[in-house]
Amino acid sequence: MPGFELFGDRERAEVNQVLETGVLMRYGFDGMRNGQWKAKELEKAFSERMQVKHTQLVSSGTAALTVALASAGIGAGDEVIMPTFTFVASFESILALGAVPILVDIDDTLTLNPSAVEEAITSRTKVVMPVHMCGSMADLKALKAICDKYDLLLLEDACQAIGGTFEGKPLGSYGDLGCFSFDYVKTITCGEGGAIISNNENYIKNADYYSDHGHDHVGSDRGAETHPFLGYNYRISELNAAVGCAQIQRLDEFLSIQKKNYTILRSALETASDITFRRVPDGGEESYAFLNFFLPSAEKAKAAHKALGAAGVDACFYWFDNNWHYYKKWEHLTEKKSLGKLPNEVIAQLPDYSRSDFRKSDHWMGRTISCLIKLGWTETEVTQRANTMVEILSTLR
Ligand SMILES: *Cc1c(COP(=O)(O)O)cnc(C)c1O
């Protein structure tokens, strides 16, 4: 997955163009920038690649989620449905707005279970936020039908699945809004950065203003801008955007390397007994950023994870025990540990997650192993890795 593995001359050349003008800010300074508008250029390229009308770049993937929600008018007390398996950014972005994260179970897609989503809907629900974890997607068709039925917003977190598709559409472009991260370990990196995509002009205009203190960006005199609504600073810098300008041009090259490496590993693992693979919903094609599979029991999965590590097969994760990605280790959320007082709506509405029953999620996560697909492996390295994995997984007791 990580685009930093192939950081090179093109990235350096783009950054140098910015350094030569010295204009590191994405807005204003028109006379000094010598025609360089890296953030705007990346927004255009990203919209084209994602087949949407609009892109707004921001400072991170977490900022993208926060700004996307804000731009659609989500605020205090609104409920946002999200999965138990995701990154902490999902509930951070919701809580940042005084909205309430409603966790629901995942299924064998390792993403939102559509029937669990429907059961969790209340009169306060405003958004369904599927997270396309580890290179594959939620059942977007089923989720869209639910969103249409209850008049909810569908916001896709595609941070870990850039380049995957559903019914031929790039992930992130299927719902009302899509969010991406370009942090250092993502498929496309800017160092730090994020993007919101949408075909809704109003959302993206809101996102543009909101991520820059509510400035209206009308005309070229920044001092004359007014403020239609409150905002914050979630801007990306020109230096970060410049790296992205180089990386977006390499996305398809990265994706084909991911697919090639994934296919070698997967074909090998299909010969190992006891292994089954994560379900990809009908109509979906993975980004191949990870290879995800199930062992018959949690005990076997733990043993397999340990044995793989001991044999030097790196970058295989047992998320069930991971501090970042699974609800069991989010003690700050489950114990409501906040530096200051939480908004009243959150105090009143946030479920007590220390007592929740997510056994259906545990059933799948407890048995899951996810192996990161690297871009820098040589063919010999992947083949050796495949052989070692098959050997270990076939001899497990
Ligand atoms: C990385 C990631 C984010 C947040 O992105 P940052 O740029 O690191 O803030 C959000 N959601 C998912 C699923 C991610 O993997």
Side-chain angles (χ1 to χ4, degrees), residues 201-221:
E201 189 181 0
N202 201 39
Y203 291 160
I204 296 294
K205 194 178 82 179
N206 287 346
D208 182 34
Y209 297 3
Y210 186 83
S211 58
D212 184 29
H213 306 290
H215 288 315
D216 70 10
H217 298 163
V218 175
S220 60
D221 177 5

Side-chain angles (χ1 to χ4, degrees), residues 318-373:
Y318 183 59
W319 298 125
F320 188 75
D321 282 345
N322 183 278
N323 285 349
W324 294 353
H325 290 300
Y326 198 47
Y327 79 94
K328 277 190 180 297
K329 295 287 180 79
W330 298 336
E331 79 285 358
H332 49 337
L333 177 69
T334 53
E335 292 165 32
K336 306 185 187 186
K337 287 186 188 166
S338 175
L339 282 175
K341 189 172 171 282
L342 291 164
N344 287 336
E345 289 85 352
V346 174
I347 293 169
Q349 285 169 241
L350 189 68
D352 181 357
Y353 288 123
S354 64
R355 298 155 152 266
S356 306
D357 176 5
F358 290 126
R359 271 175 295 180
K360 287 178 182 157
S361 300
D362 294 343
H363 170 79
W364 293 109
M365 283 322 292
R367 298 167 44 202
T368 302
I369 291 182
S370 294
C371 294
L372 180 71
I373 304 295

Side-chain angles (χ1 to χ4, degrees), residues 74-80 94 97-102 122-126 343-346 349:
I74 302 309
D78 292 336
E79 292 181 357
V80 180
I94 299 164
L97 298 166
V100 185
I102 301 298
T122 71
S123 58
R124 298 194 192 100
T125 308
K126 294 281 165 58
N344 287 336
E345 289 85 352
V346 174
Q349 285 169 241

Side-chain angles (χ1 to χ4, degrees), residues 60-62 65 86-87 89 131 133 157 159-160 181-183 186 193:
S60 71
T62 312
L65 293 167
T86 176
F87 181 51
V131 185
M133 286 297 281
D157 178 340
C159 293
Q160 292 196 12
S181 163
F182 305 129
D183 79 20
K186 296 303 199 296

Side-chain angles (χ1 to χ4, degrees), residues 122-239:
T122 71
S123 58
R124 298 194 192 100
T125 308
K126 294 281 165 58
V127 184
V128 176
M129 188 197 272
V131 185
H132 306 314
M133 286 297 281
C134 300
S136 183
M137 76 296 302
D139 186 343
L140 287 168
K141 189 174 176 190
L143 294 176
K144 177 131 187 18
I146 293 171
C147 288
D148 289 347
K149 181 169 163 194
Y150 296 92
D151 194 21
L152 307 174
L153 210 69
L154 182 59
L155 191 164
E156 294 173 69
D157 178 340
C159 293
Q160 292 196 12
I162 189 170
T165 59
F166 189 77
E167 293 178 350
K169 292 188 177 143
L171 294 179
S173 73
Y174 193 91
D176 300 287
L177 288 147
C179 291
F180 296 85
S181 163
F182 305 129
D183 79 20
Y184 192 55
V185 298
K186 296 303 199 296
T187 303
I188 291 289
T189 186
C190 291
E192 298 283 1
I196 302 148
I197 61 172
S198 183
N199 287 313
N200 183 313
E201 189 181 0
N202 201 39
Y203 291 160
I204 296 294
K205 194 178 82 179
N206 287 346
D208 182 34
Y209 297 3
Y210 186 83
S211 58
D212 184 29
H213 306 290
H215 288 315
D216 70 10
H217 298 163
V218 175
S220 60
D221 177 5
R222 281 188 57 83
E225 290 172 346
T226 62
H227 307 95
F229 45 76
L230 293 168
Y232 294 91
N233 178 0
Y234 290 114
R235 292 186 306 253
I236 193 167
S237 87
E238 284 287 277
L239 287 172

Side-chain angles (χ1 to χ4, degrees), residues 22-52:
V23 180
L24 311 185
M25 164 102 171
R26 69 156 301 177
Y27 296 112
F29 303 95
D30 301 24
M32 291 164 60
R33 45 196 328 139
N34 201 18
Q36 300 292 338
W37 296 91
K38 295 299 180 193
K40 279 193 208 300
E41 196 184 306
L42 179 53
E43 283 167 348
K44 186 162 174 280
F46 204 69
S47 295
E48 274 165 24
R49 179 59 182 77
M50 293 300 149
Q51 300 168 30
V52 288

